[in-house]
Amino acid sequence: MEKVLLVDDEQRMLDLLTLYLKPHQFSCKKALGGQEALNYLEHEHFDIVLLDIMMPDMNGWELCQEIRSTSDIPIIMVTAREQQEDIVKGLRLGADDYITKPFHEEELVARINALLRRVQPASEIDINGLRFREDAYELLYRGQFIKLTPIEFKMIGHFMKRSNRVFTREHLIELIWGFDSNTEGRTVDSHVRNMREKIRQSGFPIDKHFKTVWGIGYKWVDST
């Protein structure tokens, strides 16, 4: 049973989300605001966070950024705001998905399940003949070994295991180089460029799957 942390400043919304999710075998923990959510995250394991944006003590963007400084837990922002700039801002700060109120129970459950499937860890992934074998430290296309540096290998693994998720350059630096790293965004771009070219030379159609999200970062899509 997956454990969901629900974060909102309205008890009514927390109760409604719980009512939606419990019949689908989700275990729900309710947090009234950002600080309570951080306290729960510090002491308990959760599989996913549903996060409201408009909260008085700490808004959803601030809380998302705080969570991302220490955790890669999947985050869905749940909000009545639907302006394009709000969606982009949430993605920039590390949110994985975005759903606007009002929404149907079936849509919410489907989005949660789809996100959990995408981020589920896997030691071996095969996408259209491109095989990532984490335990064997191999990336192959149709049996052909693709030689990558350790950073490039770690990077492609992050993307293939979390398809359709946008990673900002800052988030990639934290995941791959570490939170205290002095690595800059252009270093990320250089590694991405080299990784892309090596995989392209193998014959795999990398440009159909690995996308630049202009002004934000990069993402992997299973198909186009």
Side-chain angles (χ1 to χ4, degrees):
M1 179 180 288
E2 284 85 3
K3 193 172 180 181
V4 184
L5 179 61
L6 308 173
V7 189
D8 202 295
D9 63 319
E10 295 185 15
Q11 186 66 48
R12 180 185 61 83
M13 179 55 64
L14 292 173
D15 293 341
L16 179 62
L17 290 169
T18 302
L19 184 66
Y20 281 172
L21 296 177
K22 274 198 170 181
H24 299 275
Q25 305 304 307
F26 290 104
S27 171
C28 299
K29 187 89 171 188
K30 305 173 189 177
L32 271 169
Q35 192 56 56
E36 187 171 324
L38 290 175
N39 291 338
Y40 286 145
L41 286 164
E42 186 177 352
H43 297 101
E44 299 181 44
H45 166 79
F46 295 94
D47 296 293
I48 192 167
V49 177
L50 268 65
L51 171 60
D52 186 47
I53 285 184
M54 302 309 293
M55 298 185 292
D57 64 333
M58 178 185 295
N59 67 44
W61 292 311
E62 293 169 333
L63 180 55
C64 179
Q65 192 170 25
E66 186 71 22
I67 293 172
R68 277 289 169 261
S69 69
T70 59
S71 173
D72 198 30
I73 187 172
I75 297 173
I76 297 179
M77 286 193 157
V78 184
T79 178
R81 298 169 67 94
E82 57 184 359
Q83 287 89 345
Q84 184 69 27
E85 58 267 25
D86 292 341
I87 297 174
V88 171
K89 184 173 182 178
L91 292 174
R92 281 180 181 272
L93 295 174
D96 299 278
D97 203 354
Y98 196 105
I99 188 169
T100 56
K101 307 169 189 175
F103 49 81
H104 295 290
E105 173 185 342
E106 293 80 7
E107 180 187 3
L108 177 63
V109 172
R111 284 179 177 272
I112 291 174
N113 285 328
L115 179 55
L116 288 172
R117 284 195 302 270
R118 293 204 304 265
V119 302
Q120 183 177 7
S123 61
E124 186 165 325
I125 306 169
D126 191 311
I127 299 176
N128 294 343
L130 185 69
R131 177 171 294 182
F132 175 80
R133 302 182 64 202
E134 188 168 30
D135 293 342
Y137 200 81
E138 289 181 342
L139 183 71
L140 307 102
Y141 179 55
R142 295 180 176 174
Q144 175 188 347
F145 179 73
I146 302 172
K147 188 176 181 179
L148 300 177
T149 67
I151 286 177
E152 292 163 358
F153 182 80
K154 191 173 183 180
M155 187 178 287
I156 191 65
H158 276 299
F159 284 108
M160 291 179 70
K161 287 190 286 186
R162 298 167 178 84
S163 61
N164 298 310
R165 171 173 177 175
V166 178
F167 286 87
T168 66
R169 291 166 178 83
E170 293 79 9
H171 193 195
L172 287 170
I173 289 170
E174 292 177 18
L175 286 172
I176 296 172
W177 283 272
F179 183 68
D180 296 326
S181 172
N182 293 321
T183 302
E184 298 180 352
R186 61 174 177 263
T187 302
V188 175
D189 294 337
S190 177
H191 284 284
V192 164
R193 185 167 55 251
N194 293 337
M195 179 191 72
R196 251 186 181 143
E197 184 57 29
K198 290 175 182 178
I199 297 175
R200 185 184 292 119
Q201 289 177 2
S202 74
F204 179 78
I206 184 69
D207 299 309
K208 290 184 178 181
H209 296 272
F210 190 77
K211 302 292 185 180
T212 299
V213 183
W214 296 109
I216 301 178
Y218 302 97
K219 73 174 180 177
W220 179 278
V221 295
D222 287 345
S223 60
T224 59

